[in-house]
Amino acid sequence: MASKLCCLLTISLFLVLPYFTSPSLADVSPAPSEAVTPGTICKSTPDPSYCKSVLPNETTTVYNYGRFSVRKSLSQSRKTVNLIDNYLNKYRSSLSITAIRALEDCRFLAGLNMDFLLSSFKTVNSTSQILSPAQADDIQTLLSAIITNQQTCVDGIVSTASAWSIKNGISVPLTNDTKLYSVSLALFTKGWVPKIRRKKRKAAAWETNSKQLGFQHGRFLMSDRTRSIYETVSRRKLLQTTNDSSDEVLVSDIVTVSLDGSGNYSSINDAVNAAPNNTNGVNGYFLIYIMAGVYQEYVSIPKNKKYLMMIGDGINQTIITGNRSVVDGWTTFNSATFAVVSPNFVAVNITFQNTAGAIKHQAVAVRNGADLSAFYSCSFEGYQDTLYTHSLRQFYRECDIYGTVDFIFGNAAVVFQNCNLYARLPMKGQFNAITAQGRTDPNQNTGTSIHECTIKAADDLASSNMTFKTYLGRPWKEYSRTVYMQSYMDSLIDPTGWSIWDGTFALSTLYYGEYQNTGPGSNTSSRVTWPGYHVITNATDAANFTVSTFLLGDDWLPDSGVPYDGSLL
């Protein structure tokens, strides 16, 4: 994972909120409709001094300040793209391949930021009132992801030790951009987000423990070949027609991938390229059925391939594998075997691997930056940094995740439910940390929620004669937020539960919580005594991290057909 950077923002002021949230500054008075000076409104931001330096010197409402800040952020994101492009064009021949890859990551992420800021500005420019919980969550998610994208870029540059000129010429202005984006997020949270911004919007009729997906074909005319494919998949109980129209999952088209040439395509990337661009999902998902086989290819699903669904023949049957690693010159970000940033992505019955091994350190199997994405009955296999839950809103159900150091990491708003988390045998001198959550700003709506899962040792660790410590997580960034709820923890979990990152870094600003877990590793009597660690005793507090509340999952998961439990057991 990226280098041990401390958060770029210095937080000197925060409110003491109910303990199920991390410190946030957006609830500082005054009311959104009140006209105030920049000095007053900037008290609602992480860095008041910087905030005052960028806002106009006039007395107005948080809505006008927020619009100004988001507009300025959008303008700055365009400048960032140009800065990186110019740097690559001017210095590419003199840079190492690792430095080039770090800059290319930055270019990619800066492009996403432009899109997110444009969407955000359209919303804040259209209204001066508190939004509905769903609308507010959409924009707060985008503004949170912008900061994450920027931090990922800076981390990649800083870890490129040989490129001093890059650090000096790019990371410094990017650091200032991060502060600006933080102001935009804080002002949006202050003005547009309701006090209770996550609320169950409808009954979770899709809550189920079923292992089957309730898929319906949808409304399109099938060719004989497509119908044959559909019926074949249906017989495998991956797609199932139901009589209840409310349980339909619409599929607009189906293509197959097969290594033996019997499908429409022999590579997954070719099938992805064939998917339509920028669909709105009205006609359903573009379904790629990947037949059993070992697919040795690096798959990257771009932002324009929306409403894409991939279904394999099962864990250890359909396997996508690669072996890129940081040791071999890749950044953590682009070491992923499988990467996705397209909204509303769904994957079912697939194994994703990075086989670089523990000796190659950071080596990602899947990097997910896809909003409203879901993985169901999938396996993620690696060692250090197996699953990069990078950003935006994500859900994982009945999945297996294997790894050693920080093997679930990132800064998404993510819930794992009914999953198996397997700690593997690390290298000598290492310890296992299941999570490394990367929240850098107190107003980001991000965090890792592990609900109804099982935490055990993988076979290699269980059978080893060596002793290794395994922790629930450690704070990668200053506002790291992770909770374990109603999960089974086997005896491999160290009694202290959680590990430091570096000295006392983040121990008072993080939020780590445990609620009603079971098993020999769940005893909290010897847990860490950090200010940010909590044994949650109130179900109302724990409910903040459920699918229905933390992800507003009732609004989007039913369309995917992936089963979920919206609330606590």
Side-chain angles (χ1 to χ4, degrees):
M1 87 185 322
S3 61
K4 297 181 180 179
L5 269 184
C6 289
C7 179
L8 294 171
L9 303 177
T10 300
I11 309 300
S12 58
L13 172 69
F14 59 82
L15 294 181
V16 179
L17 297 181
Y19 73 72
F20 55 84
T21 62
S22 296
S24 173
L25 301 165
D27 297 310
V28 176
S29 294
S33 59
E34 182 181 347
V36 295
T37 65
T40 299
I41 198 64
C42 285
K43 293 177 182 178
S44 300
T45 68
D47 191 337
S49 177
Y50 176 81
C51 173
K52 287 176 62 178
S53 73
V54 296
L55 292 185
N57 187 20
E58 59 186 54
T59 299
T60 187
T61 67
V62 66
Y63 297 112
N64 288 328
Y65 287 128
R67 278 187 279 271
F68 175 88
S69 178
V70 174
R71 184 190 300 112
K72 186 176 180 66
S73 295
L74 177 59
S75 174
Q76 197 59 40
S77 71
R78 294 191 179 106
K79 293 179 182 178
T80 299
V81 169
N82 293 333
L83 173 67
I84 296 169
D85 282 342
N86 291 337
Y87 212 96
L88 279 168
N89 292 335
K90 184 175 182 180
Y91 297 109
R92 182 181 291 269
S93 61
S94 62
L95 294 173
S96 67
I97 187 63
T98 304
I100 291 172
R101 287 169 175 162
L103 286 169
E104 288 174 342
D105 290 348
C106 289
R107 177 61 177 83
F108 174 78
L109 293 163
L112 293 177
N113 279 356
M114 286 180 58
D115 293 341
F116 296 167
L117 281 163
L118 183 59
S119 295
S120 301
F121 183 71
K122 288 179 179 178
T123 297
V124 301
N125 202 41
S126 65
T127 182
S128 294
Q129 61 184 8
I130 292 173
L131 298 172
S132 70
Q135 289 177 305
D137 201 63
D138 286 344
I139 303 305
Q140 192 172 19
T141 295
L142 294 180
L143 293 175
S144 295
I146 289 162
I147 296 174
T148 300
N149 289 343
Q150 197 81 346
Q151 186 68 56
T152 302
C153 167
V154 172
D155 284 353
I157 289 174
V158 171
S159 66
T160 307
S162 61
W164 180 88
S165 61
I166 296 179
K167 295 177 188 178
N168 189 54
I170 291 184
S171 65
V172 172
L174 291 183
T175 298
N176 288 331
D177 291 350
T178 302
K179 294 180 181 179
L180 176 60
Y181 299 156
S182 177
V183 170
S184 294
L185 174 59
L187 295 179
F188 176 81
T189 305
K190 172 64 180 173
W192 284 268
V193 175
K195 293 292 184 182
I196 303 175
R197 58 186 171 85
R198 293 183 178 88
K199 186 171 69 173
K200 202 168 186 176
R201 293 175 56 80
K202 59 184 177 181
W206 282 69
E207 293 185 15
T208 175
N209 288 316
S210 171
K211 287 288 287 183
Q212 296 180 349
L213 291 170
F215 287 156
Q216 173 111 359
H217 165 256
R219 298 181 289 271
F220 70 96
L221 297 176
M222 293 183 286
S223 66
D224 289 342
R225 176 174 175 78
T226 303
R227 183 174 295 279
S228 175
I229 293 167
Y230 176 78
E231 291 174 351
T232 298
V233 176
S234 295
R235 284 196 295 273
R236 290 188 171 92
K237 296 184 178 180
L238 299 176
L239 300 178
Q240 179 177 335
T241 301
T242 69
N243 294 323
D244 184 354
S245 61
S246 68
D247 288 352
E248 291 182 359
V249 171
L250 299 180
V251 177
S252 62
D253 202 357
I254 302 174
V255 298
T256 60
V257 179
S258 176
L259 290 171
D260 63 10
S262 62
N264 302 98
Y265 302 96
S266 58
S267 86
I268 299 168
N269 280 305
D270 286 345
V272 171
N273 292 335
N277 295 330
N278 295 313
T279 58
N280 59 15
V282 171
N283 294 320
Y285 291 90
F286 184 87
L287 172 58
I288 300 175
Y289 167 44
I290 309 171
M291 299 177 69
V294 179
Y295 295 82
Q296 296 180 336
E297 56 179 308
Y298 295 94
V299 180
S300 182
I301 303 176
K303 62 185 180 183
N304 60 341
K305 301 297 182 179
K306 301 176 181 179
Y307 288 93
L308 190 66
M309 179 178 289
M310 289 184 172
I311 298 180
D313 271 330
I315 291 174
N316 296 328
Q317 298 299 310
T318 297
I319 300 171
I320 304 173
T321 187
N323 63 359
R324 290 175 176 169
S325 70
V326 167
V327 170
D328 288 335
W330 300 91
T331 63
T332 301
F333 187 80
N334 61 33
S335 69
T337 301
F338 186 96
V340 55
V341 294
S342 60
N344 299 94
F345 174 79
V346 180
V348 184
N349 286 5
I350 300 172
T351 290
F352 303 92
Q353 295 178 338
N354 190 312
T355 62
I359 197 170
K360 292 300 181 73
H361 296 283
Q362 299 96 326
V364 175
V366 168
R367 187 192 80 236
N368 186 3
D371 198 21
L372 309 178
S373 57
F375 286 75
Y376 175 48
S377 189
C378 290
S379 183
F380 306 85
E381 300 175 6
Y383 288 86
Q384 182 171 348
D385 291 4
T386 302
L387 176 56
Y388 196 171
T389 56
H390 182 264
S391 54
L392 303 166
R393 293 165 289 192
Q394 309 177 16
F395 178 64
Y396 297 78
R397 171 82 178 199
E398 294 169 31
C399 292
D400 300 332
I401 304 106
Y402 296 82
T404 55
V405 180
D406 307 335
F407 64 90
I408 298 172
F409 76 111
N411 195 25
V414 56
V415 176
F416 293 87
Q417 194 171 85
N418 290 96
C419 293
N420 298 307
L421 314 183
Y422 293 109
R424 302 178 84 168
L425 184 69
M427 292 191 298
K428 186 177 181 180
Q430 286 186 331
F431 59 83
N432 290 327
I434 297 171
T435 64
Q437 207 281 326
R439 187 166 173 258
T440 61
D441 191 288
N443 289 304
Q444 287 179 307
N445 61 352
T446 55
T448 297
S449 174
I450 296 173
H451 185 209
E452 304 175 37
C453 292
T454 298
I455 298 96
K456 300 181 72 174
D459 290 343
D460 59 351
L461 179 61
S463 61
S464 172
N465 294 324
M466 302 176 68
T467 300
F468 295 92
K469 291 182 178 294
T470 296
Y471 299 99
L472 297 173
R474 59 183 185 144
W476 180 26
K477 300 295 181 182
E478 189 164 1
Y479 291 92
S480 183
R481 180 159 63 177
T482 302
V483 296
Y484 285 79
M485 306 190 300
Q486 300 178 323
S487 294
Y488 176 84
M489 301 178 181
D490 213 342
S491 57
L492 78 161
I493 300 301
D494 188 82
T496 60
W498 307 81
S499 174
I500 64 168
W501 183 271
D502 186 13
T504 60
F505 171 70
L507 301 188
S508 60
T509 51
L510 60 79
Y511 179 86
Y512 287 165
E514 298 182 53
Y515 176 73
Q516 288 188 354
N517 298 300
T518 60
S522 66
N523 189 328
T524 59
S525 61
S526 298
R527 289 296 198 249
V528 295
T529 57
W530 307 336
Y533 170 73
H534 306 279
V535 176
I536 303 173
T537 58
N538 189 317
T540 301
D541 295 343
N544 284 282
F545 299 101
T546 59
V547 171
S548 294
T549 306
F550 193 52
L551 299 182
L552 290 183
D554 299 326
D555 289 342
W556 58 276
L557 273 171
D559 292 337
S560 73
V562 175
Y564 69 95
D565 296 326
S567 56
L568 297 169
L569 292 173

